[in-house]
PDB file of all heavy atoms in Angstrom:
ATOM      1  N   ASN A   1      -3.474   4.402   5.595  1.00  0.00           N
ATOM      2  CA  ASN A   1      -2.033   4.501   5.376  1.00  0.00           C
ATOM      3  C   ASN A   1      -1.353   3.386   6.161  1.00  0.00           C
ATOM      4  O   ASN A   1      -1.580   3.246   7.357  1.00  0.00           O
ATOM      5  CB  ASN A   1      -1.555   5.867   5.857  1.00  0.00           C
ATOM      6  CG  ASN A   1      -0.154   6.175   5.435  1.00  0.00           C
ATOM      7  OD1 ASN A   1       0.587   5.299   5.000  1.00  0.00           O
ATOM      8  ND2 ASN A   1       0.225   7.425   5.577  1.00  0.00           N
ATOM      9  N   MET A   2      -0.522   2.599   5.486  1.00  0.00           N
ATOM     10  CA  MET A   2       0.135   1.453   6.115  1.00  0.00           C
ATOM     11  C   MET A   2       1.642   1.548   5.984  1.00  0.00           C
ATOM     12  O   MET A   2       2.152   2.071   5.001  1.00  0.00           O
ATOM     13  CB  MET A   2      -0.352   0.157   5.471  1.00  0.00           C
ATOM     14  CG  MET A   2      -1.833  -0.069   5.683  1.00  0.00           C
ATOM     15  SD  MET A   2      -2.521  -1.280   4.552  1.00  0.00           S
ATOM     16  CE  MET A   2      -2.766  -0.275   3.108  1.00  0.00           C
ATOM     17  N   GLN A   3       2.347   1.037   6.984  1.00  0.00           N
ATOM     18  CA  GLN A   3       3.808   0.975   6.958  1.00  0.00           C
ATOM     19  C   GLN A   3       4.206  -0.446   7.333  1.00  0.00           C
ATOM     20  O   GLN A   3       3.792  -0.958   8.362  1.00  0.00           O
ATOM     21  CB  GLN A   3       4.407   1.970   7.956  1.00  0.00           C
ATOM     22  CG  GLN A   3       5.904   1.901   8.092  1.00  0.00           C
ATOM     23  CD  GLN A   3       6.630   2.445   6.888  1.00  0.00           C
ATOM     24  OE1 GLN A   3       6.185   3.401   6.282  1.00  0.00           O
ATOM     25  NE2 GLN A   3       7.728   1.845   6.524  1.00  0.00           N
ATOM     26  N   TYR A   4       4.991  -1.084   6.481  1.00  0.00           N
ATOM     27  CA  TYR A   4       5.478  -2.441   6.733  1.00  0.00           C
ATOM     28  C   TYR A   4       6.939  -2.349   7.138  1.00  0.00           C
ATOM     29  O   TYR A   4       7.688  -1.545   6.594  1.00  0.00           O
ATOM     30  CB  TYR A   4       5.357  -3.298   5.469  1.00  0.00           C
ATOM     31  CG  TYR A   4       3.956  -3.341   4.909  1.00  0.00           C
ATOM     32  CD1 TYR A   4       3.562  -2.463   3.904  1.00  0.00           C
ATOM     33  CD2 TYR A   4       3.031  -4.243   5.405  1.00  0.00           C
ATOM     34  CE1 TYR A   4       2.282  -2.498   3.394  1.00  0.00           C
ATOM     35  CE2 TYR A   4       1.741  -4.278   4.904  1.00  0.00           C
ATOM     36  CZ  TYR A   4       1.370  -3.412   3.906  1.00  0.00           C
ATOM     37  OH  TYR A   4       0.095  -3.433   3.405  1.00  0.00           O
ATOM     38  N   GLY A   5       7.360  -3.153   8.098  1.00  0.00           N
ATOM     39  CA  GLY A   5       8.755  -3.095   8.513  1.00  0.00           C
ATOM     40  C   GLY A   5       9.165  -4.279   9.356  1.00  0.00           C
ATOM     41  O   GLY A   5       8.392  -5.226   9.567  1.00  0.00           O
ATOM     42  N   THR A   6      10.383  -4.210   9.841  1.00  0.00           N
ATOM     43  CA  THR A   6      10.946  -5.238  10.703  1.00  0.00           C
ATOM     44  C   THR A   6      11.624  -4.556  11.878  1.00  0.00           C
ATOM     45  O   THR A   6      12.386  -3.602  11.687  1.00  0.00           O
ATOM     46  CB  THR A   6      11.979  -6.097   9.944  1.00  0.00           C
ATOM     47  OG1 THR A   6      11.347  -6.671   8.805  1.00  0.00           O
ATOM     48  CG2 THR A   6      12.526  -7.211  10.826  1.00  0.00           C
ATOM     49  N   ALA A   7      11.336  -5.014  13.073  1.00  0.00           N
ATOM     50  CA  ALA A   7      11.968  -4.496  14.287  1.00  0.00           C
ATOM     51  C   ALA A   7      12.426  -5.694  15.115  1.00  0.00           C
ATOM     52  O   ALA A   7      11.618  -6.562  15.445  1.00  0.00           O
ATOM     53  CB  ALA A   7      10.995  -3.644  15.080  1.00  0.00           C
ATOM     54  N   MET A   8      13.702  -5.741  15.393  1.00  0.00           N
ATOM     55  CA  MET A   8      14.276  -6.853  16.164  1.00  0.00           C
ATOM     56  C   MET A   8      13.859  -8.200  15.588  1.00  0.00           C
ATOM     57  O   MET A   8      13.380  -9.077  16.301  1.00  0.00           O
ATOM     58  CB  MET A   8      13.896  -6.731  17.637  1.00  0.00           C
ATOM     59  CG  MET A   8      14.466  -5.502  18.306  1.00  0.00           C
ATOM     60  SD  MET A   8      14.123  -5.412  20.063  1.00  0.00           S
ATOM     61  CE  MET A   8      14.982  -6.850  20.661  1.00  0.00           C
ATOM     62  N   ASN A   9      13.997  -8.354  14.280  1.00  0.00           N
ATOM     63  CA  ASN A   9      13.691  -9.594  13.565  1.00  0.00           C
ATOM     64  C   ASN A   9      12.221  -9.984  13.589  1.00  0.00           C
ATOM     65  O   ASN A   9      11.879 -11.144  13.354  1.00  0.00           O
ATOM     66  CB  ASN A   9      14.540 -10.760  14.101  1.00  0.00           C
ATOM     67  CG  ASN A   9      16.005 -10.513  13.897  1.00  0.00           C
ATOM     68  OD1 ASN A   9      16.408  -9.926  12.903  1.00  0.00           O
ATOM     69  ND2 ASN A   9      16.817 -10.937  14.848  1.00  0.00           N
ATOM     70  N   VAL A  10      11.347  -9.052  13.887  1.00  0.00           N
ATOM     71  CA  VAL A  10       9.912  -9.301  13.883  1.00  0.00           C
ATOM     72  C   VAL A  10       9.280  -8.395  12.822  1.00  0.00           C
ATOM     73  O   VAL A  10       9.459  -7.192  12.853  1.00  0.00           O
ATOM     74  CB  VAL A  10       9.275  -9.006  15.260  1.00  0.00           C
ATOM     75  CG1 VAL A  10       7.775  -9.169  15.211  1.00  0.00           C
ATOM     76  CG2 VAL A  10       9.900  -9.880  16.326  1.00  0.00           C
ATOM     77  N   GLN A  11       8.559  -9.002  11.892  1.00  0.00           N
ATOM     78  CA  GLN A  11       7.874  -8.206  10.883  1.00  0.00           C
ATOM     79  C   GLN A  11       6.605  -7.606  11.476  1.00  0.00           C
ATOM     80  O   GLN A  11       5.926  -8.252  12.271  1.00  0.00           O
ATOM     81  CB  GLN A  11       7.529  -9.064   9.675  1.00  0.00           C
ATOM     82  CG  GLN A  11       8.752  -9.521   8.925  1.00  0.00           C
ATOM     83  CD  GLN A  11       8.396 -10.311   7.685  1.00  0.00           C
ATOM     84  OE1 GLN A  11       7.271 -10.778   7.530  1.00  0.00           O
ATOM     85  NE2 GLN A  11       9.354 -10.465   6.795  1.00  0.00           N
ATOM     86  N   PHE A  12       6.300  -6.365  11.091  1.00  0.00           N
ATOM     87  CA  PHE A  12       5.112  -5.705  11.620  1.00  0.00           C
ATOM     88  C   PHE A  12       4.451  -4.879  10.531  1.00  0.00           C
ATOM     89  O   PHE A  12       5.044  -4.569   9.501  1.00  0.00           O
ATOM     90  CB  PHE A  12       5.462  -4.805  12.814  1.00  0.00           C
ATOM     91  CG  PHE A  12       6.263  -3.593  12.437  1.00  0.00           C
ATOM     92  CD1 PHE A  12       5.632  -2.422  12.046  1.00  0.00           C
ATOM     93  CD2 PHE A  12       7.649  -3.623  12.469  1.00  0.00           C
ATOM     94  CE1 PHE A  12       6.367  -1.307  11.690  1.00  0.00           C
ATOM     95  CE2 PHE A  12       8.387  -2.515  12.124  1.00  0.00           C
ATOM     96  CZ  PHE A  12       7.750  -1.362  11.734  1.00  0.00           C
ATOM     97  N   THR A  13       3.199  -4.525  10.799  1.00  0.00           N
ATOM     98  CA  THR A  13       2.455  -3.588   9.976  1.00  0.00           C
ATOM     99  C   THR A  13       1.829  -2.565  10.909  1.00  0.00           C
ATOM    100  O   THR A  13       1.151  -2.930  11.868  1.00  0.00           O
ATOM    101  CB  THR A  13       1.334  -4.298   9.184  1.00  0.00           C
ATOM    102  OG1 THR A  13       1.901  -5.345   8.402  1.00  0.00           O
ATOM    103  CG2 THR A  13       0.599  -3.327   8.286  1.00  0.00           C
ATOM    104  N   ALA A  14       2.093  -1.291  10.639  1.00  0.00           N
ATOM    105  CA  ALA A  14       1.451  -0.198  11.378  1.00  0.00           C
ATOM    106  C   ALA A  14       0.506   0.493  10.399  1.00  0.00           C
ATOM    107  O   ALA A  14       0.817   0.611   9.219  1.00  0.00           O
ATOM    108  CB  ALA A  14       2.500   0.778  11.890  1.00  0.00           C
ATOM    109  N   TRP A  15      -0.658   0.926  10.886  1.00  0.00           N
ATOM    110  CA  TRP A  15      -1.592   1.591   9.994  1.00  0.00           C
ATOM    111  C   TRP A  15      -2.400   2.631  10.749  1.00  0.00           C
ATOM    112  O   TRP A  15      -2.500   2.610  11.971  1.00  0.00           O
ATOM    113  CB  TRP A  15      -2.515   0.599   9.299  1.00  0.00           C
ATOM    114  CG  TRP A  15      -3.506  -0.064  10.195  1.00  0.00           C
ATOM    115  CD1 TRP A  15      -4.764   0.370  10.497  1.00  0.00           C
ATOM    116  CD2 TRP A  15      -3.325  -1.270  10.929  1.00  0.00           C
ATOM    117  NE1 TRP A  15      -5.372  -0.503  11.357  1.00  0.00           N
ATOM    118  CE2 TRP A  15      -4.509  -1.522  11.647  1.00  0.00           C
ATOM    119  CE3 TRP A  15      -2.271  -2.168  11.062  1.00  0.00           C
ATOM    120  CZ2 TRP A  15      -4.656  -2.618  12.472  1.00  0.00           C
ATOM    121  CZ3 TRP A  15      -2.422  -3.269  11.884  1.00  0.00           C
ATOM    122  CH2 TRP A  15      -3.614  -3.474  12.567  1.00  0.00           C
ATOM    123  N   THR A  16      -2.973   3.527   9.957  1.00  0.00           N
ATOM    124  CA  THR A  16      -3.867   4.540  10.500  1.00  0.00           C
ATOM    125  C   THR A  16      -4.867   4.927   9.420  1.00  0.00           C
ATOM    126  O   THR A  16      -4.608   4.750   8.231  1.00  0.00           O
ATOM    127  CB  THR A  16      -3.088   5.783  10.981  1.00  0.00           C
ATOM    128  OG1 THR A  16      -3.990   6.666  11.655  1.00  0.00           O
ATOM    129  CG2 THR A  16      -2.438   6.521   9.829  1.00  0.00           C
ATOM    130  N   TYR A  17      -5.997   5.424   9.852  1.00  0.00           N
ATOM    131  CA  TYR A  17      -6.992   5.993   8.941  1.00  0.00           C
ATOM    132  C   TYR A  17      -6.957   7.500   9.147  1.00  0.00           C
ATOM    133  O   TYR A  17      -6.926   7.967  10.285  1.00  0.00           O
ATOM    134  CB  TYR A  17      -8.386   5.453   9.247  1.00  0.00           C
ATOM    135  CG  TYR A  17      -8.503   3.976   9.006  1.00  0.00           C
ATOM    136  CD1 TYR A  17      -8.268   3.060  10.018  1.00  0.00           C
ATOM    137  CD2 TYR A  17      -8.846   3.496   7.752  1.00  0.00           C
ATOM    138  CE1 TYR A  17      -8.377   1.696   9.788  1.00  0.00           C
ATOM    139  CE2 TYR A  17      -8.952   2.135   7.520  1.00  0.00           C
ATOM    140  CZ  TYR A  17      -8.721   1.245   8.544  1.00  0.00           C
ATOM    141  OH  TYR A  17      -8.822  -0.098   8.307  1.00  0.00           O
ATOM    142  N   CYS A  18      -6.946   8.250   8.051  1.00  0.00           N
ATOM    143  CA  CYS A  18      -6.875   9.698   8.194  1.00  0.00           C
ATOM    144  C   CYS A  18      -7.699  10.383   7.109  1.00  0.00           C
ATOM    145  O   CYS A  18      -7.980   9.793   6.068  1.00  0.00           O
ATOM    146  CB  CYS A  18      -5.429  10.182   8.130  1.00  0.00           C
ATOM    147  SG  CYS A  18      -4.587   9.819   6.596  1.00  0.00           S
ATOM    148  N   ALA A  19      -8.054  11.631   7.381  1.00  0.00           N
ATOM    149  CA  ALA A  19      -8.788  12.448   6.417  1.00  0.00           C
ATOM    150  C   ALA A  19      -7.882  13.584   5.963  1.00  0.00           C
ATOM    151  O   ALA A  19      -7.260  14.254   6.783  1.00  0.00           O
ATOM    152  CB  ALA A  19     -10.048  13.012   7.054  1.00  0.00           C
ATOM    153  N   VAL A  20      -7.791  13.761   4.647  1.00  0.00           N
ATOM    154  CA  VAL A  20      -7.016  14.855   4.074  1.00  0.00           C
ATOM    155  C   VAL A  20      -7.993  15.769   3.357  1.00  0.00           C
ATOM    156  O   VAL A  20      -8.760  15.323   2.504  1.00  0.00           O
ATOM    157  CB  VAL A  20      -5.949  14.324   3.086  1.00  0.00           C
ATOM    158  CG1 VAL A  20      -5.163  15.473   2.495  1.00  0.00           C
ATOM    159  CG2 VAL A  20      -5.029  13.317   3.762  1.00  0.00           C
ATOM    160  N   ASP A  21      -7.983  17.049   3.724  1.00  0.00           N
ATOM    161  CA  ASP A  21      -8.868  18.029   3.104  1.00  0.00           C
ATOM    162  C   ASP A  21      -8.188  18.624   1.875  1.00  0.00           C
ATOM    163  O   ASP A  21      -6.985  18.905   1.889  1.00  0.00           O
ATOM    164  CB  ASP A  21      -9.227  19.123   4.101  1.00  0.00           C
ATOM    165  CG  ASP A  21     -10.060  18.577   5.249  1.00  0.00           C
ATOM    166  OD1 ASP A  21     -10.837  17.634   5.017  1.00  0.00           O
ATOM    167  OD2 ASP A  21      -9.921  19.081   6.371  1.00  0.00           O
ATOM    168  N   LEU A  22      -8.978  18.827   0.827  1.00  0.00           N
ATOM    169  CA  LEU A  22      -8.456  19.265  -0.457  1.00  0.00           C
ATOM    170  C   LEU A  22      -9.428  20.248  -1.095  1.00  0.00           C
ATOM    171  O   LEU A  22     -10.638  20.003  -1.102  1.00  0.00           O
ATOM    172  CB  LEU A  22      -8.281  18.033  -1.358  1.00  0.00           C
ATOM    173  CG  LEU A  22      -8.123  18.235  -2.856  1.00  0.00           C
ATOM    174  CD1 LEU A  22      -6.779  18.871  -3.161  1.00  0.00           C
ATOM    175  CD2 LEU A  22      -8.249  16.902  -3.576  1.00  0.00           C
ATOM    176  N   GLU A  23      -8.904  21.334  -1.608  1.00  0.00           N
ATOM    177  CA  GLU A  23      -9.692  22.290  -2.394  1.00  0.00           C
ATOM    178  C   GLU A  23      -9.330  22.049  -3.855  1.00  0.00           C
ATOM    179  O   GLU A  23      -8.267  22.465  -4.312  1.00  0.00           O
ATOM    180  CB  GLU A  23      -9.372  23.727  -1.978  1.00  0.00           C
ATOM    181  CG  GLU A  23     -10.191  24.773  -2.682  1.00  0.00           C
ATOM    182  CD  GLU A  23     -11.636  24.839  -2.203  1.00  0.00           C
ATOM    183  OE1 GLU A  23     -11.905  24.524  -1.029  1.00  0.00           O
ATOM    184  OE2 GLU A  23     -12.503  25.202  -3.008  1.00  0.00           O
ATOM    185  N   ALA A  24     -10.187  21.343  -4.579  1.00  0.00           N
ATOM    186  CA  ALA A  24      -9.907  20.975  -5.970  1.00  0.00           C
ATOM    187  C   ALA A  24     -10.245  22.119  -6.910  1.00  0.00           C
ATOM    188  O   ALA A  24     -11.282  22.755  -6.776  1.00  0.00           O
ATOM    189  CB  ALA A  24     -10.701  19.733  -6.348  1.00  0.00           C
ATOM    190  N   ALA A  25      -9.355  22.359  -7.870  1.00  0.00           N
ATOM    191  CA  ALA A  25      -9.578  23.379  -8.895  1.00  0.00           C
ATOM    192  C   ALA A  25     -10.136  22.717 -10.149  1.00  0.00           C
ATOM    193  O   ALA A  25      -9.920  21.517 -10.374  1.00  0.00           O
ATOM    194  CB  ALA A  25      -8.267  24.090  -9.222  1.00  0.00           C
ATOM    195  N   ALA A  26     -10.824  23.470 -10.967  1.00  0.00           N
ATOM    196  CA  ALA A  26     -11.347  22.941 -12.231  1.00  0.00           C
ATOM    197  C   ALA A  26     -10.178  22.455 -13.086  1.00  0.00           C
ATOM    198  O   ALA A  26      -9.200  23.169 -13.280  1.00  0.00           O
ATOM    199  CB  ALA A  26     -12.128  24.023 -12.970  1.00  0.00           C
ATOM    200  N   GLY A  27     -10.259  21.228 -13.555  1.00  0.00           N
ATOM    201  CA  GLY A  27      -9.202  20.650 -14.378  1.00  0.00           C
ATOM    202  C   GLY A  27      -7.973  20.237 -13.601  1.00  0.00           C
ATOM    203  O   GLY A  27      -6.961  19.869 -14.190  1.00  0.00           O
ATOM    204  N   GLY A  28      -8.037  20.285 -12.284  1.00  0.00           N
ATOM    205  CA  GLY A  28      -6.884  19.946 -11.446  1.00  0.00           C
ATOM    206  C   GLY A  28      -6.559  18.460 -11.488  1.00  0.00           C
ATOM    207  O   GLY A  28      -7.426  17.620 -11.682  1.00  0.00           O
ATOM    208  N   ASP A  29      -5.280  18.156 -11.321  1.00  0.00           N
ATOM    209  CA  ASP A  29      -4.789  16.776 -11.293  1.00  0.00           C
ATOM    210  C   ASP A  29      -4.015  16.606  -9.993  1.00  0.00           C
ATOM    211  O   ASP A  29      -3.021  17.306  -9.776  1.00  0.00           O
ATOM    212  CB  ASP A  29      -3.894  16.523 -12.504  1.00  0.00           C
ATOM    213  CG  ASP A  29      -3.622  15.051 -12.734  1.00  0.00           C
ATOM    214  OD1 ASP A  29      -4.191  14.215 -12.001  1.00  0.00           O
ATOM    215  OD2 ASP A  29      -2.834  14.743 -13.639  1.00  0.00           O
ATOM    216  N   TYR A  30      -4.460  15.704  -9.136  1.00  0.00           N
ATOM    217  CA  TYR A  30      -3.885  15.548  -7.807  1.00  0.00           C
ATOM    218  C   TYR A  30      -3.461  14.108  -7.586  1.00  0.00           C
ATOM    219  O   TYR A  30      -4.042  13.185  -8.138  1.00  0.00           O
ATOM    220  CB  TYR A  30      -4.914  15.951  -6.736  1.00  0.00           C
ATOM    221  CG  TYR A  30      -5.420  17.345  -6.936  1.00  0.00           C
ATOM    222  CD1 TYR A  30      -6.597  17.578  -7.634  1.00  0.00           C
ATOM    223  CD2 TYR A  30      -4.707  18.425  -6.460  1.00  0.00           C
ATOM    224  CE1 TYR A  30      -7.056  18.859  -7.847  1.00  0.00           C
ATOM    225  CE2 TYR A  30      -5.165  19.720  -6.666  1.00  0.00           C
ATOM    226  CZ  TYR A  30      -6.331  19.925  -7.360  1.00  0.00           C
ATOM    227  OH  TYR A  30      -6.786  21.191  -7.579  1.00  0.00           O
ATOM    228  N   GLN A  31      -2.435  13.939  -6.757  1.00  0.00           N
ATOM    229  CA  GLN A  31      -1.934  12.602  -6.455  1.00  0.00           C
ATOM    230  C   GLN A  31      -1.828  12.434  -4.948  1.00  0.00           C
ATOM    231  O   GLN A  31      -1.372  13.337  -4.243  1.00  0.00           O
ATOM    232  CB  GLN A  31      -0.571  12.404  -7.100  1.00  0.00           C
ATOM    233  CG  GLN A  31      -0.051  11.006  -6.955  1.00  0.00           C
ATOM    234  CD  GLN A  31       1.207  10.797  -7.787  1.00  0.00           C
ATOM    235  OE1 GLN A  31       1.533  11.574  -8.657  1.00  0.00           O
ATOM    236  NE2 GLN A  31       1.897   9.731  -7.510  1.00  0.00           N
ATOM    237  N   ILE A  32      -2.251  11.258  -4.466  1.00  0.00           N
ATOM    238  CA  ILE A  32      -2.143  10.907  -3.053  1.00  0.00           C
ATOM    239  C   ILE A  32      -0.776  10.257  -2.843  1.00  0.00           C
ATOM    240  O   ILE A  32      -0.412   9.326  -3.562  1.00  0.00           O
ATOM    241  CB  ILE A  32      -3.232   9.893  -2.640  1.00  0.00           C
ATOM    242  CG1 ILE A  32      -4.618  10.411  -2.979  1.00  0.00           C
ATOM    243  CG2 ILE A  32      -3.112   9.519  -1.181  1.00  0.00           C
ATOM    244  CD1 ILE A  32      -5.129  11.474  -2.072  1.00  0.00           C
ATOM    245  N   LEU A  33      -0.014  10.736  -1.844  1.00  0.00           N
ATOM    246  CA  LEU A  33       1.310  10.196  -1.546  1.00  0.00           C
ATOM    247  C   LEU A  33       1.426   9.819  -0.081  1.00  0.00           C
ATOM    248  O   LEU A  33       0.783  10.431   0.777  1.00  0.00           O
ATOM    249  CB  LEU A  33       2.393  11.235  -1.864  1.00  0.00           C
ATOM    250  CG  LEU A  33       2.468  11.748  -3.296  1.00  0.00           C
ATOM    251  CD1 LEU A  33       3.490  12.870  -3.391  1.00  0.00           C
ATOM    252  CD2 LEU A  33       2.833  10.614  -4.235  1.00  0.00           C
ATOM    253  N   SER A  34       2.276   8.866   0.199  1.00  0.00           N
ATOM    254  CA  SER A  34       2.571   8.467   1.568  1.00  0.00           C
ATOM    255  C   SER A  34       3.865   9.128   2.011  1.00  0.00           C
ATOM    256  O   SER A  34       4.852   9.121   1.277  1.00  0.00           O
ATOM    257  CB  SER A  34       2.720   6.947   1.653  1.00  0.00           C
ATOM    258  OG  SER A  34       3.215   6.573   2.923  1.00  0.00           O
ATOM    259  N   ASP A  35       3.868   9.700   3.199  1.00  0.00           N
ATOM    260  CA  ASP A  35       5.077  10.245   3.807  1.00  0.00           C
ATOM    261  C   ASP A  35       5.468   9.413   5.021  1.00  0.00           C
ATOM    262  O   ASP A  35       5.964   9.933   6.012  1.00  0.00           O
ATOM    263  CB  ASP A  35       4.861  11.699   4.240  1.00  0.00           C
ATOM    264  CG  ASP A  35       5.031  12.670   3.105  1.00  0.00           C
ATOM    265  OD1 ASP A  35       5.631  12.294   2.090  1.00  0.00           O
ATOM    266  OD2 ASP A  35       4.578  13.813   3.229  1.00  0.00           O
ATOM    267  N   SER A  36       5.252   8.125   4.949  1.00  0.00           N
ATOM    268  CA  SER A  36       5.565   7.240   6.063  1.00  0.00           C
ATOM    269  C   SER A  36       7.060   6.945   6.102  1.00  0.00           C
ATOM    270  O   SER A  36       7.736   6.935   5.081  1.00  0.00           O
ATOM    271  CB  SER A  36       4.777   5.939   5.937  1.00  0.00           C
ATOM    272  OG  SER A  36       3.403   6.221   5.982  1.00  0.00           O
ATOM    273  N   ASP A  37       7.554   6.688   7.309  1.00  0.00           N
ATOM    274  CA  ASP A  37       8.977   6.458   7.487  1.00  0.00           C
ATOM    275  C   ASP A  37       9.186   5.514   8.665  1.00  0.00           C
ATOM    276  O   ASP A  37       8.354   5.450   9.574  1.00  0.00           O
ATOM    277  CB  ASP A  37       9.688   7.791   7.744  1.00  0.00           C
ATOM    278  CG  ASP A  37      11.195   7.666   7.741  1.00  0.00           C
ATOM    279  OD1 ASP A  37      11.727   6.778   7.040  1.00  0.00           O
ATOM    280  OD2 ASP A  37      11.850   8.468   8.435  1.00  0.00           O
ATOM    281  N   GLN A  38      10.298   4.787   8.633  1.00  0.00           N
ATOM    282  CA  GLN A  38      10.674   3.898   9.734  1.00  0.00           C
ATOM    283  C   GLN A  38      12.139   4.130  10.039  1.00  0.00           C
ATOM    284  O   GLN A  38      12.972   4.143   9.136  1.00  0.00           O
ATOM    285  CB  GLN A  38      10.459   2.440   9.340  1.00  0.00           C
ATOM    286  CG  GLN A  38      10.973   1.463  10.368  1.00  0.00           C
ATOM    287  CD  GLN A  38      10.881   0.026   9.885  1.00  0.00           C
ATOM    288  OE1 GLN A  38      10.108  -0.290   9.000  1.00  0.00           O
ATOM    289  NE2 GLN A  38      11.677  -0.836  10.458  1.00  0.00           N
ATOM    290  N   ARG A  39      12.460   4.332  11.317  1.00  0.00           N
ATOM    291  CA  ARG A  39      13.846   4.537  11.729  1.00  0.00           C
ATOM    292  C   ARG A  39      14.167   3.650  12.914  1.00  0.00           C
ATOM    293  O   ARG A  39      13.374   3.545  13.845  1.00  0.00           O
ATOM    294  CB  ARG A  39      14.077   5.987  12.110  1.00  0.00           C
ATOM    295  CG  ARG A  39      13.897   6.907  10.932  1.00  0.00           C
ATOM    296  CD  ARG A  39      14.281   8.293  11.254  1.00  0.00           C
ATOM    297  NE  ARG A  39      14.032   9.092  10.051  1.00  0.00           N
ATOM    298  CZ  ARG A  39      14.126  10.370  10.017  1.00  0.00           C
ATOM    299  NH1 ARG A  39      14.472  11.014  11.090  1.00  0.00           N
ATOM    300  NH2 ARG A  39      13.902  11.024   8.903  1.00  0.00           N
ATOM    301  N   SER A  40      15.316   3.037  12.840  1.00  0.00           N
ATOM    302  CA  SER A  40      15.781   2.190  13.936  1.00  0.00           C
ATOM    303  C   SER A  40      16.684   3.003  14.845  1.00  0.00           C
ATOM    304  O   SER A  40      17.551   3.742  14.378  1.00  0.00           O
ATOM    305  CB  SER A  40      16.552   0.986  13.392  1.00  0.00           C
ATOM    306  OG  SER A  40      15.709   0.190  12.608  1.00  0.00           O
ATOM    307  N   GLY A  41      16.465   2.830  16.136  1.00  0.00           N
ATOM    308  CA  GLY A  41      17.279   3.531  17.126  1.00  0.00           C
ATOM    309  C   GLY A  41      18.102   2.534  17.920  1.00  0.00           C
ATOM    310  O   GLY A  41      18.217   1.362  17.564  1.00  0.00           O
ATOM    311  N   GLY A  42      18.668   2.990  18.997  1.00  0.00           N
ATOM    312  CA  GLY A  42      19.453   2.120  19.858  1.00  0.00           C
ATOM    313  C   GLY A  42      18.583   1.155  20.629  1.00  0.00           C
ATOM    314  O   GLY A  42      17.377   1.341  20.779  1.00  0.00           O
ATOM    315  N   ALA A  43      19.173   0.082  21.090  1.00  0.00           N
ATOM    316  CA  ALA A  43      18.498  -0.925  21.926  1.00  0.00           C
ATOM    317  C   ALA A  43      17.298  -1.555  21.229  1.00  0.00           C
ATOM    318  O   ALA A  43      16.350  -1.986  21.859  1.00  0.00           O
ATOM    319  CB  ALA A  43      18.074  -0.323  23.265  1.00  0.00           C
ATOM    320  N   GLY A  44      17.318  -1.598  19.892  1.00  0.00           N
ATOM    321  CA  GLY A  44      16.248  -2.256  19.153  1.00  0.00           C
ATOM    322  C   GLY A  44      14.985  -1.445  18.979  1.00  0.00           C
ATOM    323  O   GLY A  44      13.982  -1.957  18.517  1.00  0.00           O
ATOM    324  N   ASP A  45      15.010  -0.176  19.376  1.00  0.00           N
ATOM    325  CA  ASP A  45      13.830   0.669  19.208  1.00  0.00           C
ATOM    326  C   ASP A  45      13.586   0.957  17.728  1.00  0.00           C
ATOM    327  O   ASP A  45      14.523   1.139  16.960  1.00  0.00           O
ATOM    328  CB  ASP A  45      14.003   2.005  19.934  1.00  0.00           C
ATOM    329  CG  ASP A  45      14.028   1.840  21.439  1.00  0.00           C
ATOM    330  OD1 ASP A  45      13.585   0.780  21.923  1.00  0.00           O
ATOM    331  OD2 ASP A  45      14.490   2.760  22.124  1.00  0.00           O
ATOM    332  N   THR A  46      12.327   1.001  17.355  1.00  0.00           N
ATOM    333  CA  THR A  46      11.952   1.357  15.996  1.00  0.00           C
ATOM    334  C   THR A  46      10.857   2.416  16.067  1.00  0.00           C
ATOM    335  O   THR A  46       9.858   2.235  16.749  1.00  0.00           O
ATOM    336  CB  THR A  46      11.434   0.132  15.218  1.00  0.00           C
ATOM    337  OG1 THR A  46      12.473  -0.841  15.167  1.00  0.00           O
ATOM    338  CG2 THR A  46      11.033   0.502  13.808  1.00  0.00           C
ATOM    339  N   ALA A  47      11.086   3.527  15.371  1.00  0.00           N
ATOM    340  CA  ALA A  47      10.102   4.612  15.322  1.00  0.00           C
ATOM    341  C   ALA A  47       9.427   4.595  13.957  1.00  0.00           C
ATOM    342  O   ALA A  47      10.102   4.571  12.925  1.00  0.00           O
ATOM    343  CB  ALA A  47      10.775   5.953  15.556  1.00  0.00           C
TER     344      ALA A  47
END
């Protein structure tokens, strides 16, 4: 999972590797989604 962004005029990439457990049903249709987010705070902080 990767997140691209800019903090204080500097471009960055944050990433992580993760495992998601899934119980698949017969005939099931599943989609992988990203819930990544970037928020700027005061004094140039970026979460």
Side-chain angles (χ1 to χ4, degrees):
N1 191 346
M2 297 163 279
Q3 175 72 36
Y4 304 95
T6 303
M8 296 184 63
N9 298 325
V10 176
Q11 293 183 344
F12 69 88
T13 304
W15 69 90
T16 187
Y17 295 92
C18 61
V20 180
D21 294 328
L22 163 70
E23 183 74 29
D29 194 4
Y30 304 95
Q31 186 171 345
I32 305 285
L33 301 174
S34 171
D35 278 342
S36 298
D37 188 29
Q38 173 186 338
R39 296 187 181 173
S40 297
D45 292 342
T46 300

